[in-house]
């Protein structure tokens, strides 16, 4: 008895097929030379696109490091925005509300100690934007400031008994991303506090954190305590610097530079396999020939277009809409900071985690890491009064992208759910950085610095006007200027969010053309 013809046809290749590669041909199932060439070109192209979509974060962190170096902030120094960050600096969607301080902590010489300032909102990520730990209000120091010990990959030396919050990095550098609140609408006291308390220095085994009893075991040599070296701060407010990787072939070159500096096991084998498939391999020269370079240039263009499509016009199936039939989105709640499982519910009966999702939400990961900087559970936790929450909008009520030549309004109902403060900030569609206009800080909010505070109406609601010209009778704090030649998108931030945000009983208006 033989297999029937229908079954044979279902598993066989016809003599020719029409595909998006064009016509492919076979002789009794064996592909023609032209078909083989088309298939391999397409396979290399697919790998190139997948690397762009799934490894953008590696190029992003390395571009951040290069931007810091170009600004004079070498590893283990602190780039600080004492007078807040403005639109001159190209970062992926930063704010103009808090004092930023950043560092690339170099772990090549061994574990490093970071003493953090009090009342911070901060995180440590590795160079793949894998979360290491938080510091500050959401961290184990709970806003009191503390000693953090960052451990490099593969380290098997002595560690302290206690006294440190320990975080393990998968890469030889780690990013410190810190934000601190102004005091009475003045950034100077906050910047001074950061400069007097933030320290970065090598860990010396056998010193603080190691008991005498441990020393007497003979496994850890006594260390000699020394005064930590002075931390080097580099002022960046008002500085024009770029931390965003190229969207073209240079993306792959930046990613390769990062890979060469890290252990081969710094991220998962699947991602490293995609990189290897296009010639990015730890310890090997990245030198694509003319054919491969042309393929990667096209792959970067398609990856670029795909990332922007995901970010600016996400499909409803991704679950990003925060309210039904709304332009306001939040891309983290569907899958949490791991892009797999939603953040746990916080109820009167306690924390209720969701079961593991079991599948990475790849589109959400791509759009988030393409458009935003850093990752931490604190960005999407449902706890009130801690951290900050974000809503982003890319389209108006007529389903059109925002046009800098037009005017819009958005109204925030009374009792805005932000225990500390709120803000609305505009971002350039091209750079995903703050929109550059004659307004140095393209934002409106409840703080009176760096722009006047927005005035509320008699009923407690607050209307913000967005457009190239300030409408008559509108206060400076209620207007954000646009550039008639630029598109933009909007982020609403709520610092120390309240329950009405999470249960959605409070809802901002849509952004209406006016």
């Amino acid at each position: 008895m033989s297999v029937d013809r229908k079954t044979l046809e279902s598993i066989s290749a016809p003599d020719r097929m029409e595909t998006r590669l064009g016509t492919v041909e076979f002789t009794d199932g064996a592909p023609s030379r032209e078909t083989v060439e088309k298939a391999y070109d397409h396979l290399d192209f697919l790998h190139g696109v997948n690397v762009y979509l799934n490894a953008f974060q590696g190029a992003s962190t390395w571009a951040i490091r290069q931007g810091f170096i170009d600004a004079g902030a070498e590893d283990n120094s602190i780039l600080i925005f004492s007078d807040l960050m403005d639109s001159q600096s190209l970062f992926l969607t930063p704010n103009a509300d808090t004092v930023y301080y950043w560092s690339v902590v170099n772990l090549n010489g061994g574990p490093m100690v970071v003493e953090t300032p009090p009342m911070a909102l901060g995180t440590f990520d590795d160079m793949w934007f894998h979360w290491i730990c938080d510091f500050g209000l959401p961290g184990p120091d709970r806003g009191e400031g503390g000693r953090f010990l960052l451990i490099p990959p593969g380290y098997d030396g002595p560690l302290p008994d206690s006294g440190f919050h320990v975080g393990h990095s998968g890469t030889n550098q780690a990013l410190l991303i810190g934000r601190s609140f102004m005091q009475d609408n003045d950034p100077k006291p906050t910047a001074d506090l950061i400069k007097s308390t933030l320290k970065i220095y090598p860990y010396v085994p056998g010193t603080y954190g190691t008991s005498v009893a441990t020393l007497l075991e003979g496994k850890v040599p006594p260390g000699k305590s020394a005064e930590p070296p002075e931390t080097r701060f580099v002022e960046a407010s008002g500085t024009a610097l770029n931390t965003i990787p190229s969207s073209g072939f240079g993306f792959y070159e930046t990613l390769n530079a990062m890979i060469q500096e890290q252990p081969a096991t710094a991220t998962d084998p699947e991602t490293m396999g995609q990189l290897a498939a296009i010639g990015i391999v730890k310890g090997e020269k990245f030198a694509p020939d003319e054919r491969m370079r042309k393929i990667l240039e096209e792959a970067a263009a398609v990856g670029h277009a795909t990332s922007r499509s995901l970010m600016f016009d996400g499909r409803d199936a991704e679950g990003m809409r925060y309210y039904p039939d709304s332009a306001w989105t939040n891309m983290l709640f569907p899958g949490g900071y791991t892009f797999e499982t939603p953040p746990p519910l916080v109820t009167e009966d306690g924390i209720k985690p969701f079961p593991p999702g079991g599948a990475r939400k790849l589109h959400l990961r791509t759009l988030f890491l393409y458009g935003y900087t850093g990752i931490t559970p604190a960005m999407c936790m449902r706890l009130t009064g801690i951290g900050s929450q974000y809503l982003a909008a890319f389209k108006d009520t007529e389903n059109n992208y925002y046009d800098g030549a037009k005017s819009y309004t958005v109204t925030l109902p009374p009792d805005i759910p932000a225990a500390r403060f709120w803000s609305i900030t505009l971002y350039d569609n091209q750079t995903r950085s703050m929109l550059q206009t004659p307004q140095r800080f393209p934002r409106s909010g409840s703080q009176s610095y760096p722009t006047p505070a927005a005035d509320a109406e008699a009923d407690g609601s607050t209307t913000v006007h967005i457009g190239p010209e300030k409408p008559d009778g509108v206060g400076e704090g209620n207007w954000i200027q646009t550039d008639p030649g630029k598109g933009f998108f909007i982020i609403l931030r709520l610092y120390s969010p309240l329950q009405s945000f999470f249960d959605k009983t409070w809802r901002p208006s849509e952004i209406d053309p006016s």
Side-chain angles (χ1 to χ4, degrees):
M1 182 178 178
S2 61
V3 176
D4 64 78
R5 178 176 295 278
K6 186 175 181 181
T7 299
L8 285 174
E9 289 177 351
S10 71
I11 62 176
S12 301
D15 291 343
R16 55 189 292 132
M17 293 187 292
E18 298 300 327
T19 73
R20 67 172 50 205
L21 307 183
T23 302
V24 292
E25 298 179 325
F26 305 87
T27 301
D28 193 25
S32 68
R33 171 48 49 193
E34 293 78 7
T35 294
V36 168
E37 290 176 355
K38 289 177 181 179
Y40 276 115
D41 283 353
H42 186 59
L43 188 60
D44 289 337
F45 171 75
L46 287 178
H47 287 313
V49 173
N50 279 329
V51 165
Y52 197 104
L53 299 181
N54 298 324
F56 187 90
Q57 60 270 36
S60 183
T61 60
W62 212 245
I64 289 171
R65 181 174 186 254
Q66 188 58 57
F68 289 3
I69 292 171
D70 291 345
E74 301 287 339
D75 291 356
N76 301 329
S77 59
I78 305 293
L79 189 77
I80 187 169
F81 292 81
S82 298
D83 193 32
L84 308 188
M85 192 186 299
D86 63 23
S87 59
Q88 292 301 306
S89 297
L90 299 185
F91 280 76
L92 294 176
T93 55
N95 69 64
D97 308 308
T98 61
V99 177
Y100 269 115
Y101 40 102
W102 308 66
S103 182
V104 176
V105 183
N106 197 307
L107 304 174
N108 278 297
M112 295 289 289
V113 177
V114 182
E115 296 185 17
T116 61
M119 297 306 294
L121 275 178
T123 192
F124 296 105
D125 285 344
D126 75 10
M127 302 307 281
W128 277 105
F129 272 145
H130 296 147
W131 176 68
I132 299 173
C133 62
D134 290 325
F135 66 89
L137 293 168
D141 62 302
R142 301 303 293 269
E144 295 182 5
R147 285 187 174 96
F148 288 77
L149 185 61
L150 298 179
I151 311 299
Y155 177 78
D156 60 358
L159 293 174
D161 300 329
S162 63
F164 295 87
H165 307 295
V166 178
H168 292 265
S169 173
T171 55
N172 292 325
Q173 296 84 21
L175 279 173
L176 178 161
I177 306 173
R179 298 167 293 159
S180 288
F181 301 117
M182 292 186 288
Q183 298 180 31
D184 297 322
N185 293 295
D186 184 356
K188 187 179 185 306
T190 300
D192 290 344
L193 178 63
I194 295 165
K195 292 175 182 177
S196 66
T197 55
L198 180 55
K199 297 179 174 61
I200 300 177
Y201 53 91
Y203 169 67
V204 179
T207 58
Y208 174 85
T210 301
S211 69
V212 172
T214 297
L215 294 178
L216 292 175
E217 293 175 357
K219 298 178 182 178
V220 181
K224 185 177 181 180
S225 297
E227 187 70 21
E230 183 178 351
T231 306
R232 180 170 177 264
F233 288 87
V234 176
E235 183 55 59
S237 287
T239 301
L241 71 151
N242 176 48
T243 65
I244 303 171
S246 166
S247 294
F249 180 78
F251 160 81
Y252 299 106
E253 295 175 310
T254 301
L255 186 55
N256 176 67
M258 194 276 284
I259 292 297
Q260 300 308 323
E261 292 286 331
Q262 311 305 334
T265 55
T267 193
D268 61 278
E270 192 78 18
T271 300
M272 294 302 288
Q274 292 180 355
L275 294 167
I278 63 170
I280 297 178
V281 180
K282 167 74 174 180
E284 298 183 12
K285 185 178 181 180
F286 177 54
D289 58 20
E290 183 178 352
R291 166 192 161 275
M292 190 64 179
R293 184 183 178 103
K294 183 178 179 181
I295 287 173
L296 290 179
E297 286 173 348
E298 183 182 3
V302 172
H304 185 198
T306 304
S307 299
R308 286 182 176 272
S309 297
L310 290 169
M311 181 178 177
F312 284 79
D313 199 5
R315 294 182 294 195
D316 283 347
E318 310 295 351
M320 292 189 301
R321 290 190 190 274
Y322 195 67
Y323 307 100
D325 302 318
S326 175
W328 291 110
T329 64
N330 184 299
M331 70 298 299
L332 286 175
F333 279 99
Y337 78 101
T338 63
F339 305 100
E340 179 192 350
T341 305
L345 296 175
V346 179
T347 73
E348 294 180 355
D349 298 324
I351 306 294
K352 294 188 176 181
F354 288 92
R360 192 81 66 205
K361 298 181 186 299
L362 298 177
H363 296 167
L364 295 179
R365 184 178 67 179
T366 293
L367 75 88
F368 182 83
L369 296 171
Y370 180 77
Y372 306 88
T373 303
I375 190 68
T376 161
M379 298 178 83
C380 64
M381 59 187 178
R382 303 179 201 266
L383 288 171
T384 59
I386 300 177
S388 52
Q389 289 298 329
Y390 314 86
L391 293 177
F394 299 87
K395 290 186 175 184
D396 62 22
T397 50
E398 298 174 358
N399 202 36
N400 295 318
Y401 295 124
Y402 303 118
D403 181 348
K406 296 181 179 179
S407 296
Y408 304 86
T409 59
V410 56
T411 298
L412 307 182
D415 301 320
I416 299 170
R420 288 187 181 273
F421 57 90
W422 63 269
S423 72
I424 291 175
T425 308
L426 303 190
Y427 295 92
D428 185 322
N429 283 350
Q430 291 282 16
T431 65
R432 293 95 76 203
S433 303
M434 280 189 271
L435 185 67
Q436 294 184 353
T437 70
Q439 282 184 338
R440 180 182 170 193
F441 302 96
R443 50 85 67 188
S444 174
S446 57
Q447 296 189 126
S448 61
Y449 191 91
T451 59
D455 294 322
E457 303 293 334
D459 64 357
S461 66
T462 303
T463 297
V464 176
H465 299 258
I466 299 168
E469 302 290 340
K470 184 169 72 69
D472 292 340
V474 171
E476 288 289 341
N478 293 70
W479 171 59
I480 311 176
Q481 188 173 17
T482 60
D483 180 339
K486 299 292 298 180
F488 63 90
F489 61 96
I490 301 168
I491 295 181
L492 166 64
R493 287 179 170 86
L494 304 169
Y495 290 87
S496 298
L498 302 177
Q499 184 59 33
S500 61
F501 170 77
F502 296 110
D503 64 24
K504 302 181 184 179
T505 55
W506 181 89
R507 173 176 173 169
S509 78
E510 299 302 298
I511 295 89
D512 295 315
S514 57

